[in-house]
Amino acid sequence: GQAPDDWVLCADPVYLQPDRDQLLLSHADFSDLSRMDTAALMQEINAVIQFDGWQLVMGAAERWYLQYSEALEINTPLFMPQQGSTISHGFAEGAQRRKLLSVINTVQMIMHGSAVNQRRQAKGLLPINSLLPWGSGVLARASVSEFQESDPRLVVWGNDAIVRGMMLAAGVQMNPLDQWSVNGDIRQDCLLLLPKADQSSLQYYLLSLFHSLQTDAINNLRFITADGSSWYATKKHLRRWWKGALR
């Protein structure tokens, strides 16, 4: 995808619970939401709000963004409020806050009758009944990164929403990790971001990469761990690396 040129804000799906004359952020973890359900819900919403200049876009299944065709004089929280927080001042402040409140109200009505929410409730899951806006502004344009200049074919594979945003801003392609395949297009400069996973999942990726190295599908591998340690391997010393690094 491309980083949008429009004014944009984070608008994450949440469940708000009324509490007398205020709203409480009762639930904000919708990691169980599939990309298919997110796309279906966004299609319902965008079919209505697009006529007022708004568009809802997906960063990840549970990370949403609301775009507008021009910059608005609105102040939203810099960070996502914590679960249990009181949502006051109608989500935002500023001279044009009513424009944002209007689209949020429209979205809430659509969500109330959404087939996606009906299916969630039938399964005993909480519905999504609102969007929570935060972090508004125009995305800064990142300069072309050093690694992209060295090889414009660079592709990143991973599911982290923050990294995805950084790659979009830098103009680097990023694909979902579940679409990666050792039998697919493995390029010389390919960055694979592996999350914390169970042993079998990690073994699948490692064995696939080692096989690619042995069959000359790729030239070398470099593994970097969360603590900054790294290992480098080529076909020549793959056997020694396997015994030492993964013991």
Side-chain angles (χ1 to χ4, degrees):
Q2 296 289 332
D5 295 319
D6 295 339
W7 183 86
V8 65
L9 53 77
C10 296
D12 290 341
V14 295
Y15 179 78
L16 299 180
Q17 181 176 340
D19 182 34
R20 296 184 180 180
D21 58 347
Q22 61 187 6
L23 292 172
L24 295 179
L25 179 55
S26 177
H27 191 77
D29 181 10
F30 283 93
S31 54
D32 61 343
L33 191 63
S34 69
R35 293 182 68 88
M36 182 180 297
D37 280 346
T38 296
L41 191 51
M42 284 190 175
Q43 185 176 13
E44 290 183 68
I45 294 171
N46 283 330
V48 178
I49 67 174
Q50 64 180 341
F51 297 106
D52 292 323
W54 294 96
Q55 183 183 15
L56 197 59
V57 296
M58 183 196 317
E62 72 283 5
R63 176 58 55 83
W64 300 4
Y65 300 93
L66 194 58
Q67 293 178 215
Y68 193 65
S69 53
E70 61 186 55
L72 298 177
E73 295 181 29
I74 291 175
N75 296 319
T76 57
L78 293 178
F79 303 100
M80 176 73 171
Q82 293 183 344
Q83 190 164 308
S85 300
T86 299
I87 308 302
S88 58
H89 304 297
F91 303 103
E93 297 178 339
Q96 294 179 291
R97 62 186 292 268
R98 290 187 179 276
K99 192 178 288 289
L100 178 60
L101 294 182
S102 177
V103 70
I104 294 293
N105 287 337
T106 300
V107 169
Q108 288 173 340
M109 289 187 289
I110 296 171
M111 286 178 167
H112 180 72
S114 169
V116 173
N117 272 333
Q118 291 174 6
R119 290 196 297 269
R120 289 184 60 83
Q121 290 178 294
K123 296 177 182 178
L125 301 173
L126 279 175
I128 303 165
N129 66 0
S130 187
L131 299 178
L132 189 58
W134 59 281
S136 58
V138 178
L139 291 179
R141 286 291 170 182
S143 58
V144 176
S145 55
E146 191 174 307
F147 49 74
Q148 190 185 13
E149 284 183 331
S150 64
D151 189 348
R153 301 173 302 160
L154 175 71
V155 177
V156 179
W157 301 84
N159 296 329
D160 188 271
I162 295 177
V163 176
R164 181 176 298 277
M166 294 170 63
M167 294 299 102
L168 282 175
V172 177
Q173 180 183 347
M174 182 167 174
N175 299 319
L177 188 59
D178 56 10
Q179 292 183 10
W180 179 82
S181 171
V182 69
N183 297 317
D185 180 17
I186 301 180
R187 311 183 185 201
Q188 183 173 353
D189 290 319
C190 176
L191 180 60
L192 194 65
L193 303 175
L194 300 179
K196 290 183 179 179
D198 57 71
Q199 190 68 24
S200 60
S201 297
L202 184 60
Q203 187 178 44
Y204 163 75
Y205 288 110
L206 292 179
L207 291 179
S208 298
L209 289 167
F210 290 147
H211 174 75
S212 300
L213 198 59
Q214 286 181 319
T215 57
D216 297 319
I218 55 178
N219 296 329
N220 58 74
L221 290 172
R222 182 181 296 277
F223 289 89
I224 304 174
T225 63
D227 63 2
S229 303
S230 65
W231 293 277
Y232 178 81
T234 63
K235 181 179 179 180
K236 182 178 180 180
H237 60 284
L238 180 58
R239 183 185 299 274
R240 184 176 69 250
W241 187 90
W242 170 263
K243 290 182 177 179
L246 298 183
R247 183 171 300 166

